[in-house]
Amino acid sequence: MENAKDTFYIMLRDRLTALNPERTISVRGVVRPGVLVEENELVTDAVVPDAFTLRWTALAVDPRGPLPLTTLTCEIRYATDGNAGNAGMDRGRLLAAMDVELSSALRAAPHHVVKMNYAGSSVGVAPVAMATNIFWSDVTFAPTVTTDEQLSRVATVEVFCYQEAGEQ
């Protein structure tokens, strides 16, 4: 399942970066695309504004086929405080822009990518393509939540993959 999670993250990060290369964040002094995976970051309750945070929340395995079909639920959380120059009065427009970016990235064709194994990859060492693909459902958007001066939303996507021999 880690291979499917990593592959989905890289696909989404690359598509969102192509749509809006200006959406970046600084994490521990490193500027990177504005997409985080919650389980890969330091534990914090703080919401990173103007970035997408992936949280894996559920897992189901259907063993009936030649390869077990795994379904992972991914919540994508995002929020904005608006621009300080506009006193945050543009936060609705900024949240709507994030909705469009996420929807466009997930609805772009193709709706599948080759599952990759990133376990041994590093600088100069490429990930290994696996034998199956991952694919995903349409995105579902929860209502906007207002907390103090911040607007936020949670979008949900089901990610599917076949569990290959040797995968855990």
Side-chain angles (χ1 to χ4, degrees), residues 20-114:
N20 184 359
E22 301 300 316
R23 186 172 303 288
T24 59
I25 56 174
S26 178
V27 178
R28 295 179 295 283
V30 177
V31 176
R32 52 192 247 199
V35 183
L36 302 167
V37 179
E38 184 181 67
E39 66 189 30
N40 297 344
E41 302 296 333
L42 296 176
V43 177
T44 179
D45 288 335
V47 175
V48 179
D50 303 313
F52 298 95
T53 302
L54 281 60
R55 175 185 287 176
W56 298 100
T57 61
L59 165 70
V61 178
D62 181 352
R64 292 178 287 174
L67 294 174
L69 177 62
T70 301
T71 305
L72 300 153
T73 302
C74 182
E75 289 183 355
I76 303 165
R77 299 174 174 270
Y78 50 102
T80 185
D81 299 328
N83 284 321
N86 293 323
M89 300 300 285
D90 57 352
R91 58 192 175 142
R93 290 183 186 277
L94 295 179
L95 189 69
M98 295 182 82
D99 294 342
V100 170
E101 287 175 29
L102 182 60
S103 179
S104 296
L106 291 170
R107 289 185 178 150
H111 293 257
H112 61 85
V113 293
V114 173

Side-chain angles (χ1 to χ4, degrees), residues 144-166:
T144 301
V145 174
T146 304
T147 306
D148 298 323
E149 301 296 322
Q150 189 172 76
L151 298 181
S152 64
R153 186 181 315 280
V154 176
T156 305
V157 177
E158 302 293 328
V159 177
F160 306 96
C161 68
Y162 290 101
Q163 193 170 353
E164 298 179 33

Side-chain angles (χ1 to χ4, degrees), residues 127-141:
V128 176
M130 300 184 74
T132 60
N133 293 328
I134 69 162
F135 47 101
W136 51 91
S137 68
D138 289 336
V139 61
T140 302
F141 293 95

